[in-house]
Amino acid sequence: MRKRRHSPPPDSPPEAALQGDSWQVVRIRAGDVADVIRLDHRVTGLAKPDYWRDMFERYGRRRLGERMFLVAKTVGPGTLPDVLGFIVGEVRAWEFGSAPCGWVLALSVEPQARLRGIGKALLGALAAEFKKAGVNKMRTMVARDNQLHLLFFRSEEMMAGPYIELEKELD
Amino acid sequence: MKLHVSSRLAIFALLELAARPEQQLSVAEIGEKYGVSSHHLAKVMHVLGRAGLVRSARGAGGGYQFSGNARRMTLLDVILLFETLESQNHDPAVGELSEEGHALREVMSEIDDIIRATLGSITIATLHKLVRRQRERRPRRTAAAS
Ligand SMILES: CC(C)(COP(=O)(O)OP(=O)(O)OC[C@H]1O[C@@H](n2cnc3c(N)ncnc32)[C@H](O)[C@@H]1OP(=O)(O)O)[C@@H](O)C(=O)NCCC(=O)NCCS
């Protein structure tokens, strides 16, 4: 049975840290950014170091009450990387009239560590942060062909919302 | 979009069986809940059996037992055993080769893609959670129906 710890380790800000058998969910720290860059590179095939450094500055350092950048970190020695997964979220309001809502902006789990509940724990920790920020709805936008993301969010009982994403090539 | 009645019955039967993987349920028991004839349901169960999703149990009362993985089996996997989705239908539609036909096809394929992505991402286990949610929202009605 997975343990849930409600007091965070002294060096990490989130109030609800979730701990698995050998990992826990905490707020990102500067030392984790390189691992996030590597993990995202492995998962997407694209290296985006500047993007993730900027995301860390925007979501990991400022306005932390409404912006969340959480990582699942290995606890103790082992063969797995330090950062096993990450999730980024933000409370946004009044875009096209939408009431304040928690947006899940990114989520990835280390391929070797999937299907152990890490994604679920990351989303659970983010949802807890959203609730603390006073919102009671969570939303995300996923690629139609990203079956893993879709299966995952659906298994969390997320349904299609009232918005449709539209786009166009700019000439 | 409307699902073929066999697809609907297959999904309902899998929900029933997956909820009680240790138990056998007869075609009559499942049919009674959904108000369908055992005859139609028996054909559906036969297809599910051939696909390895259910196992027929011999002996008195001889029912069916779930033998798939509810957390990995999507609604699309089940539906495709009984029908093809529009996007797979290769018969040319009226006017399809015209520019107008292409434009209309582009719009219709948006819908097809969403149908496919939706049905392909909801597993029997996820649908089961949605059933539970309905039950919690409407406890009286469900209690009255069962
Ligand atoms: C989606 C993702 C985050 C899930 O992480 P995870 O740690 O494996 O997820 P969990 O173990 O918490 O799974 C929770 C539930 O999601 C569903 N799920 C996850 N992976 C699944 C799969 N491969 N098949 C079917 N269902 C799946 C299941 O319902 C699962 O519960 P179960 O194991 O009890 O059946 C992970 O697969 C991932 O990172 N995918 C790539 C994402 C990506 O493309 N990122 C780049 C852009 S940001």
Side-chain angles (χ1 to χ4, degrees):
Chain A
M1 175 106 175
R2 181 150 296 124
K3 285 172 260 166
R4 268 162 200 262
R5 250 200 350 212
H6 292 291
S7 55
D11 56 350
S12 64
E15 275 157 41
L18 289 170
Q19 187 178 321
D21 297 337
S22 54
W23 45 271
Q24 61 178 11
V25 176
V26 292
R27 285 230 185 219
I28 192 171
R29 285 184 293 167
D32 301 324
V33 177
D35 279 339
V36 166
I37 293 170
R38 270 193 294 273
L39 170 54
D40 174 66
H41 187 181
R42 265 204 308 284
V43 171
T44 65
L46 270 180
K48 313 175 205 73
D50 295 344
Y51 170 77
W52 287 112
R53 279 190 207 107
D54 183 51
M55 287 293 274
F56 172 63
E57 290 303 324
R58 290 192 289 140
Y59 290 86
R61 278 207 213 268
R62 293 207 299 265
R63 294 166 59 188
L64 298 182
E66 64 207 61
R67 292 181 175 181
M68 300 92 189
F69 196 151
L70 311 179
V71 287
K73 292 194 74 173
T74 312
V75 176
T79 51
L80 289 170
D82 254 9
V83 169
L84 295 177
F86 63 85
I87 193 163
V88 185
E90 178 177 21
V91 175
R92 288 186 184 169
W94 310 124
E95 286 151 323
F96 289 97
S98 142
C101 167
W103 272 86
V104 184
L105 304 175
L107 167 66
S108 259
V109 169
E110 162 63 41
Q112 307 170 57
R114 288 188 186 161
L115 289 173
R116 296 184 190 181
I118 296 176
K120 199 175 169 65
L122 282 164
L123 191 68
L126 184 64
E129 296 288 315
F130 285 153
K131 275 199 197 148
K132 255 194 280 165
V135 297
N136 55 13
K137 195 182 281 274
M138 173 161 84
R139 182 174 285 160
T140 192
M141 186 168 73
V142 294
R144 224 161 28 207
D145 59 3
N146 191 327
Q147 223 209 353
L148 282 181
H149 265 158
L150 279 170
L151 282 160
F152 171 77
F153 285 117
R154 289 297 200 169
S155 80
E156 289 293 311
E157 299 178 52
M158 289 179 75
M159 305 294 283
Y163 295 88
I164 291 182
E165 181 251 351
L166 298 173
E167 63 182 35
K168 161 183 187 177
E169 298 289 337
L170 298 177
D171 314 310
Chain B
M1 185 207 179
K2 209 166 171 196
L3 287 179
H4 192 282
V5 65
S6 299
S7 301
R8 292 175 63 85
L9 290 178
I11 292 168
F12 293 149
L14 289 169
L15 275 173
E16 295 295 330
L17 295 171
R20 311 163 186 77
E22 309 305 324
Q23 269 181 40
Q24 294 173 23
L25 284 180
S26 71
V27 165
E29 280 170 302
I30 302 170
E32 194 183 352
K33 172 158 178 184
Y34 297 97
V36 288
S37 76
S38 295
H39 179 69
H40 193 161
L41 197 53
K43 285 190 189 162
V44 168
M45 298 311 287
H46 183 70
V47 175
L48 294 180
R50 260 197 345 238
L53 308 187
V54 299
R55 201 178 20 238
S56 68
R58 299 190 187 284
Y64 281 92
Q65 216 168 351
F66 188 68
S67 60
N69 181 348
R71 283 147 66 190
R72 300 291 172 263
M73 185 191 301
T74 70
L75 299 189
L76 187 65
D77 297 332
V78 179
I79 290 165
L80 290 181
L81 296 172
F82 298 93
E83 59 190 296
T84 50
L85 295 181
E86 276 309 307
S87 49
Q88 294 178 305
N89 187 344
H90 295 300
D91 296 341
V94 176
E96 194 170 75
L97 298 179
S98 63
E99 284 163 358
E100 291 78 358
H102 280 296
L104 184 57
R105 193 198 178 123
E106 199 179 339
V107 174
M108 299 313 287
S109 68
E110 270 189 17
I111 299 170
D112 283 351
D113 287 352
I114 292 172
I115 289 176
R116 210 160 233 287
T118 303
L119 296 174
S121 64
I122 297 186
T123 60
I124 293 292
T126 296
L127 191 61
H128 193 75
K129 290 183 193 168
L130 301 179
V131 174
R132 258 204 323 257
R133 201 161 74 176
Q134 291 287 331
R135 205 168 283 156
E136 283 158 14
R137 273 196 207 143
R138 299 185 300 178
R140 278 208 207 105
R141 214 180 121 176
T142 313
S146 60

